[in-house]
Amino acid sequence: MNQSKGKLSEILRQREISLLIVLIILCAIVQFRNSSFLTVSVINSILKNYAYTMVLSFGMMIVLLIGGIDISVGATLAFCGMAGSLLMKNGILPNCLSVYLFTTVLGFALGALIGLVIAKGKVIPIIATLGFQYIYRGMTYLISGSTWVGTAYMLQDFKDFAQGSFLGINHLVCITIVIFVVFFVFLKWTMFGRQIYAVGSNAEAAEISGIKIDRIKILVYAICGAIAGLCGSMYTGYYASAQNDMATGTEMDVIAACVIGGVSLNGGQGSAVGVLLGAIMMAVIGKSLTLIGIDAFWQQALKGAIILLAVVINVLVQRGIDRRNLEGRVI
C-alpha cells in the first residue's frame, strides 16, 4: 500500500501531470458555470482560434530553453503575414502552398538576423528583440502603406485551407499537431535538441564540451522566426485579412503558455508536452472568461491572476523537484 502511495505521489509531482489536473479542474469549473462549454463546437472553436498561438508557443519554447527570449515574434508574424498577403494581392504567389512556404522562409531569415545580432553582437536578447519588434512592426506599416488586405484579395484555396478539415480536424489544428510531434521528437531524440538543453543548462560547460554556442543561438532564433512566419499564414488565412496591428500582444500569451507549461526562464528546462498543455490552458482561459459572463473590464485582470497563480504553482513544484534531486545527490 505504501509503495502504491509512493508511486502515486511521484506521478502527481510530475509537472505535466500537475498541469493536466489543473486544466481538468478549470474545465470542470467553467462547465459548471456554462453547460455548453465542453461541446464539440466550442472545443473546435477554441482549437481553431488559438491554433496559431499554440504553434508559436513551440517556437518561443526553444528560445527560452537556451536562456533567451524573443518578444518580436508577434511583429515577425505580422510582417510575414502582411508580406504574403500583399504578394497574393499582386498575383505573385499563385497558391496556398506557395504562401505558407514564402512566409515560413521569410520568418526564418528574420529570426536568423535576430540570432546573429544576439550571438555575434553580444546584445542582450530582450533588448535585441525589443528593437526588432519595433523594426518589424514599422516595416509592416511601410510595405502595406498603412492599409490592410481584405478577403477579396486573398486566394480562395488559401482561405479554404484555413477553414477546411482533414478527418474532421481543422487544417490549422492539424498543423498544430504536426508541429507538436516534430518538436517532441526533435527535442527528445536528436543531437541538436540535446545541445539546446545543454546550452540552456550551462553555456560555459556546453562550450567546453565542443558545442558551438553561437551556431545554436542563431539556428534557434531562426527556427523561432520560421514558426512565426508559418503562423503569419495561419493567422491571415483564418481571419481572411491582414492588418498592420495583427497579433499585437501575442508574444506575452506565448511566453505565458511556455512558463505555465514548465519552461524555465533561466533555460535548460521544459518539454513540448508541457508547452502544449500550457497553450491549451491559455486558450481555455481566453474562451471561458467570455462564456461565464465575466465583464470585459475584468477579463484581462483575471486572466493575469490565473496565469500568475499557475506560474507560482509551477515554481513551487520545481523547487520541490530541485530539493529532492539535491537530497538524492547528498545521499
Side-chain angles (χ1 to χ4, degrees):
M1 179 66 73
N2 290 334
Q3 187 175 3
S4 299
K5 288 183 178 179
K7 289 182 179 179
L8 178 60
S9 177
E10 186 63 32
I11 290 174
L12 292 176
R13 289 193 190 108
Q14 294 181 26
R15 192 191 314 273
E16 290 82 2
I17 299 298
S18 300
L19 184 57
L20 180 60
I21 292 173
V22 172
L23 182 59
I24 291 172
I25 294 173
L26 177 62
C27 289
I29 293 172
V30 178
Q31 176 67 15
F32 178 76
R33 291 291 306 274
N34 189 323
S35 60
S36 66
F37 178 65
L38 293 180
T39 59
V40 174
S41 61
V42 172
I43 292 174
N44 283 336
S45 175
I46 292 174
L47 294 178
K48 285 194 297 182
N49 286 340
Y50 290 90
Y52 78 92
T53 306
M54 294 180 188
V55 171
L56 197 56
S57 297
F58 294 112
M60 182 66 72
M61 172 183 66
I62 60 171
V63 171
L64 294 176
L65 284 177
I66 63 168
I69 196 168
D70 188 352
I71 59 174
S72 69
V73 289
T76 302
L77 182 159
F79 179 73
C80 293
M82 180 60 75
S85 298
L86 290 171
L87 292 179
M88 272 192 289
K89 178 181 178 180
N90 293 315
I92 298 174
L93 295 177
N95 52 49
C96 177
L97 180 60
S98 65
V99 178
Y100 274 84
L101 287 175
F102 171 77
T103 59
T104 302
V105 172
L106 177 59
F108 184 90
L110 296 177
L113 178 60
I114 295 174
L116 191 64
V117 170
I118 292 172
K120 299 299 184 181
K122 307 302 179 185
V123 180
I124 298 172
I126 193 169
I127 299 299
T129 56
L130 177 62
F132 276 105
Q133 180 187 45
Y134 285 109
I135 291 172
Y136 292 162
R137 280 289 176 189
M139 289 169 59
T140 303
Y141 281 93
L142 183 64
I143 64 173
S144 68
S146 298
T147 60
W148 62 292
V149 180
T151 183
Y153 298 104
M154 298 279 181
L155 292 169
Q156 191 59 47
D157 68 333
F158 181 69
K159 294 183 289 187
D160 290 343
F161 177 80
Q163 299 299 330
S165 61
F166 175 73
L167 299 177
I169 303 174
N170 178 264
H171 288 147
L172 300 184
V173 180
C174 288
I175 291 177
T176 305
I177 295 171
V178 170
I179 294 297
F180 163 70
V181 172
V182 169
F183 272 80
F184 179 82
V185 173
F186 164 69
L187 290 173
K188 199 171 183 66
W189 288 300
T190 68
M191 177 64 72
F192 186 57
R194 289 191 288 271
Q195 289 176 342
I196 288 175
Y197 281 105
V199 171
S201 297
N202 192 323
E204 292 181 359
E207 189 170 21
I208 292 173
S209 67
I211 296 175
K212 298 183 184 299
I213 305 296
D214 289 349
R215 174 175 170 271
I216 296 295
K217 288 181 179 180
I218 294 171
L219 284 175
V220 162
Y221 277 95
I223 292 171
C224 182
I227 293 296
L230 171 65
C231 291
S233 287
M234 294 174 66
Y235 187 103
T236 54
Y238 180 75
Y239 292 104
S241 65
Q243 298 87 26
N244 295 294
D245 61 348
M246 56 185 168
T248 299
T250 299
E251 56 277 352
M252 295 298 103
D253 285 342
V254 298
I255 290 173
C258 289
V259 175
I260 289 173
V263 181
S264 172
L265 293 176
N266 294 321
Q269 294 180 349
S271 71
V273 174
V275 170
L276 178 64
L277 291 172
I280 292 174
M281 179 170 286
M282 287 293 296
V284 169
I285 292 172
K287 184 70 174 179
S288 63
L289 294 181
T290 301
L291 285 177
I292 61 180
I294 293 179
D295 191 277
F297 180 78
W298 293 102
Q299 284 188 18
Q300 290 299 319
L302 185 56
K303 183 179 178 181
I306 294 173
I307 292 170
L308 183 61
L309 177 61
V311 171
V312 170
I313 293 173
N314 180 56
V315 170
L316 293 176
V317 170
Q318 183 58 44
R319 285 180 179 176
I321 293 173
D322 292 341
R323 189 181 303 112
R324 289 192 302 275
N325 290 338
L326 181 61
E327 291 173 352
R329 286 195 294 268
V330 171
I331 293 174

